[in-house]
Amino acid sequence: MAAIYSLYIINKSGGLIFYKDYGSAGRMDTNDSLRVASLWHSMHAISQQLSPIAGCSGIELLEADTFDLHCFQSLTGTKFFVVCEPGAQHMEGLLKYIYELYTDFVLKNPFYEMEMPIRCELFDINLAQAVQKDRVALLGR
Amino acid sequence: MIGVGKIKQYSNVLDRPLSKGKQEVSLSAFAFLFSELVQYNQTQVDNIAELERRLEDAGYAVGARVLELFCHREKGNRRETRLLGILSFVHSTIWKVLFGKVADSLEKGTEHEDEYMISEKELLVNRFISIPKDMGAFNCGAFVAGIVRGVLDNAGFPAVVTAHFVPVEGQQRPRTTILIKFAEEVLAREARLG
């Protein structure tokens, strides 16, 4: 069974700019994924306000019975989050790596418009490889 | 002892030989600059052919300067006068200073006598660029084609240079081929020189 269920990237105003499904569990239609993205965006913003710690940067990990949600927010406010099986390891590393791919293959692409949905072939190819590698590492243990 | 006394001490900074300087620039910085170049030119044109032409023109200016500089730096103010000489100069010397490596291959066209091809598995300018589906066969390698045309033209080898994507079997990504079609007079001159 795949460790990662799905990957989301949302822009700084909460719009979903990238969504990808992995494996059969937790598959969602377009409307649901958009809903989850904006829901997470708001929850993340509220958590920053509610946190008892000053300077809190928002939820990084949400643990539920059936899944874990790891979130990484870049300095510019773009959020990357993966939904994965409970207890999956190395997700922070994976998110950082996906952020790196985003800066390389999306932001350096002259045909990408900021804050718009990501449609870059090279990003897709490299992302698929990264997730694959991650999967191999997970299965190997 | 070998080597002792080889290093001269210069008291005056003006007497010191000019250093070659750092030969590399940041790939990210270049990628962003190139991306901006493409984006700027995109706002100035109505169609893809025009965009390709503008990128080529930008490259042409680079090529003209690079030729001048490297004839001076590498070849002691001499330049190639023969077809194969100038082609290998582009393929090796120019490619090495611009992209840090020799081009993957230099071939002669099979169908036409006046055509040569320089192929690159992953052209540096295309490293981070995904062409949208609606732009068809557009290739940002047009900039590199312009550089090649600039070098050849200023060395006295007028040619038409274009960049194309060529699919490779078993590879997800196509390679980029720079197609060089020399002018008639160049081939006539080559034939005369024997």
Side-chain angles (χ1 to χ4, degrees), chain B residues 106-179:
Chain B
L106 169 65
E107 291 162 77
K108 191 173 199 298
T110 44
E111 282 163 33
H112 302 279
E113 276 293 294
D114 56 350
E115 285 183 355
Y116 288 84
M117 293 169 294
I118 295 176
S119 297
E120 186 81 20
K121 217 173 104 212
E122 192 188 39
L123 202 61
L124 188 94
V125 298
N126 282 338
R127 171 85 56 94
F128 302 117
I129 296 178
S130 318
I131 306 289
K133 294 263 182 303
D134 59 335
M135 291 189 84
F138 173 75
N139 190 333
C140 287
F143 180 72
V144 179
I147 294 178
V148 174
R149 189 166 71 89
V151 171
L152 292 176
D153 207 12
N154 285 278
F157 294 84
V160 177
V161 187
T162 44
H164 306 274
F165 280 125
V166 179
V168 188
E169 246 177 83
Q171 289 278 332
Q172 227 167 347
R173 297 275 300 163
R175 65 176 181 181
T176 297
T177 295
I178 309 282
L179 183 69

Side-chain angles (χ1 to χ4, degrees), chain B residues 67-78:
Chain B
L67 173 75
E68 201 82 65
L69 179 62
F70 285 93
C71 280
H72 175 62
R73 233 184 233 174
E74 311 270 328
K75 304 195 84 73
N77 272 337
R78 291 142 75 90

Side-chain angles (χ1 to χ4, degrees), chain B residues 49-65:
Chain B
E50 181 80 357
L51 176 61
E52 212 155 42
R53 196 191 58 73
R54 286 187 69 115
L55 280 180
E56 205 189 308
D57 284 351
Y60 184 90
V62 175
R65 288 161 170 81

